[in-house]
């Protein structure tokens, strides 16, 4: 009984070693670096990031904690996004989408993040879809990118992953206030079923709460009329 079990364990171990050997380590390192540069300023801007962590981030970036940096942080982030996108385009040109079989997890999401934060979603959405269908990246990532693309086109999203905001007038005070909402959804009644089928583990209501938004169903027309 012990010998077959030992044989099975050896075979499984061999498969793990073979999988590791297929990983392009130099590309993985490059993508991990790109991923860090994509996320670090966004982490700094996150409302849940502590002041201690913000100071650590500034130190990592070699920046001073001054108003000049804070006032221009979006400019710095846009500039870095542009640099990262150029790097990812070169990688895709050489390798195709750098998915799980090439660089492992979670590095296989690095290119996705950069594209998601770019203006090139329409160009690369079919590539992300193909990678998701092959299991090179989670299908939920494709779903999120598709939702973002649709909302950017002024259309209804499918999975309810995207939130937006606009300035509207508070009828009681007469002052302009920033209003956050979950972007209109194609089929609100079936959205949670679609989310589950896509691989999401949360409902649209739970996801809205995670984004700090009170979930309510709006149509495109209703949002357009808000002012």
């Amino acid at each position: 009984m012990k010998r077959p079990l030992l044989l099975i364990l050896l075979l499984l171990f061999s498969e793990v070693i073979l999988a590791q050997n297929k990983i392009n380590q130099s590309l993985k390192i490059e993508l991990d670096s790109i991923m860090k540069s994509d996320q670090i300023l966004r982490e700094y801007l996150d409302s849940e990031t502590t002041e201690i962590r913000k100071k650590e981030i500034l130190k990592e970036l070699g920046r001073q904690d001054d108003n000049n940096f804070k006032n221009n942080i979006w400019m710095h982030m846009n500039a870095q996004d542009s640099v990262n996108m150029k790097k990812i385009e070169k990688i895709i040109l050489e390798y195709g989408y750098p998915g799980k079989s090439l660089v492992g997890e979670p590095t296989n999401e690095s290119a996705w993040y950069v594209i998601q934060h770019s203006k090139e979603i329409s160009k690369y959405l079919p590539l992300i879809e193909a990678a998701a269908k092959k299991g090179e990246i989670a299908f939920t990532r494709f779903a999120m990118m598709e939702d973002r693309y649709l909302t950017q086109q002024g259309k209804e999203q499918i999975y309810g992953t995207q939130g937006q905001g606009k300035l509207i007038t508070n009828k009681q005070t007469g002052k302009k206030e920033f209003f956050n909402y979950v972007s209109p959804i194609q089929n609100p009644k079936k959205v949670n079923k679609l989310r589950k089928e896509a691989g999401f583990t949360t409902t649209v209501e739970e996801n809205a709460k995670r984004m700090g938004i009170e979930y309510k169903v709006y149509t495109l027309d209703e949002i357009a009329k808000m002012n």
Side-chain angles (χ1 to χ4, degrees):
M1 292 293 292
K2 290 183 179 180
R3 298 190 80 178
L5 178 61
L6 179 62
L7 180 60
I8 290 171
L9 290 173
L10 286 172
L11 287 171
L12 289 172
F13 182 72
S14 298
E15 288 179 6
V16 171
I17 295 299
L18 285 171
Q20 290 176 340
N21 288 338
K22 290 179 182 178
I23 298 298
N24 186 321
Q25 292 296 334
S26 61
L27 181 58
K28 173 179 168 55
I29 291 170
E30 181 181 1
L31 283 166
D32 284 341
S33 177
I34 292 172
M35 176 72 160
K36 183 176 180 179
S37 66
D38 174 89
Q39 290 293 298
I40 196 162
L41 288 178
R42 290 177 168 86
E43 183 184 358
Y44 182 89
L45 289 169
D46 194 313
S47 60
E48 295 185 2
T49 303
T50 65
E51 289 302 318
I52 293 175
R53 176 55 186 153
K54 286 184 177 182
K55 289 181 180 180
E56 291 174 350
I57 289 172
L58 289 172
K59 187 176 181 180
E60 287 179 44
L61 295 172
R63 299 281 186 177
Q64 297 295 319
D65 188 6
D66 56 33
N67 289 329
N68 183 54
F69 173 72
K70 291 177 181 177
N71 292 337
N72 294 287
I73 192 166
W74 286 101
M75 181 185 73
H76 293 302
M77 190 162 66
N78 289 335
Q80 186 61 57
D81 286 351
S82 179
V83 170
N84 286 341
M85 191 62 217
K86 289 177 182 178
K87 291 179 179 179
I88 291 300
E89 286 183 317
K90 288 179 67 176
I91 289 171
I92 288 174
L93 190 62
E94 182 173 355
Y95 299 97
Y97 185 82
K100 182 170 66 174
S101 61
L102 185 64
V103 294
E105 295 178 296
T107 308
N108 63 325
E109 294 188 345
S110 300
W112 178 87
Y113 272 101
V114 174
I115 296 168
Q116 182 80 338
H117 296 147
S118 76
K119 297 179 181 179
E120 304 294 336
I121 289 179
S122 61
K123 180 179 178 180
Y124 291 103
L125 187 60
L127 181 71
I128 299 298
E129 181 179 15
K133 288 180 176 179
K134 291 177 183 177
E136 293 296 334
I137 191 171
F139 191 84
T140 52
R141 291 306 188 190
F142 163 68
M144 291 175 70
M145 186 171 286
E146 185 175 27
D147 271 0
R148 178 164 289 194
Y149 171 71
L150 289 169
T151 57
Q152 287 177 346
Q153 298 298 306
K155 299 177 181 179
E156 297 168 321
Q157 60 178 327
I158 299 170
Y159 303 98
T161 65
Q162 303 297 301
Q164 290 179 289
K166 65 183 296 186
L167 280 173
I168 64 171
T169 303
N170 184 315
K171 294 180 180 179
Q172 294 180 335
T173 64
K175 294 181 179 179
K176 288 286 187 180
E177 294 180 355
F178 204 69
F179 170 65
N180 293 306
Y181 58 95
V182 173
S183 304
I185 298 168
Q186 288 182 15
N187 195 333
K189 291 182 179 180
K190 291 186 178 180
V191 65
N192 283 328
K193 181 177 182 291
L194 293 172
R195 285 178 65 86
K196 188 175 182 180
E197 290 173 351
F200 291 104
T201 58
T202 59
T203 64
V204 68
E205 293 85 358
E206 290 168 338
N207 187 59
K209 186 176 181 181
R210 180 191 63 80
M211 293 190 290
I213 301 173
E214 181 181 354
Y215 179 68
K216 185 176 179 181
V217 175
Y218 292 103
T219 65
L220 291 171
D221 189 51
E222 287 173 332
I223 294 296
K225 289 179 180 178
M226 291 181 183
N227 51 45

